[in-house]
Amino acid sequence: MLQLRPGCECCDRDLPPDSTEARICTFECTFCAECVDNILRGVCPNCGGELVRRPIRPAGLLVKYPASSERVHKPEGCRQSA
Ligand SMILES: [Zn+2]
Ligand SMILES: [Zn+2]
């Protein structure tokens, strides 16, 4: 099951479970669309894998399967790609 992490690892902006701006890699490194498009160019800085849109969990299921509240912020990974 996806963790649905609460924020972008680069800019720490909030990415709620219903956000269409959230992008994840296969390890669920989580970023916002703006960082992925402008800085990361679609590639995860942690694992080198591709970043795709995170699917939205239906609200009814969030009650039973809540999103993660564990915030990951690793801005150092977002400056290296130039
Ligand atoms: Zn971001
Ligand atoms: Zn990754």
Side-chain angles (χ1 to χ4, degrees):
M1 187 175 82
L2 292 175
Q3 292 181 352
L4 300 174
R5 293 178 190 168
C8 173
E9 288 192 20
C10 280
C11 64
D12 207 30
R13 104 172 37 179
D14 288 337
L15 293 170
D18 64 350
S19 173
T20 57
E21 298 285 289
R23 303 288 183 271
I24 59 171
C25 79
T26 186
F27 295 107
E28 284 196 68
C29 309
T30 304
F31 304 93
C32 71
E34 203 177 299
C35 289
V36 169
D37 291 344
N38 298 328
I39 302 170
L40 305 172
R41 295 168 200 278
V43 178
C44 175
N46 301 319
C47 68
E50 73 178 318
L51 292 162
V52 299
R53 192 175 79 80
R54 187 176 68 186
I56 290 172
R57 185 167 303 167
L61 288 172
L62 277 170
V63 177
K64 195 172 176 186
Y65 305 102
S68 167
S69 59
E70 188 187 330
R71 192 168 277 270
V72 179
H73 188 210
K74 290 190 236 165
E76 62 276 8
C78 307
R79 295 193 200 103
Q80 66 192 18
S81 74

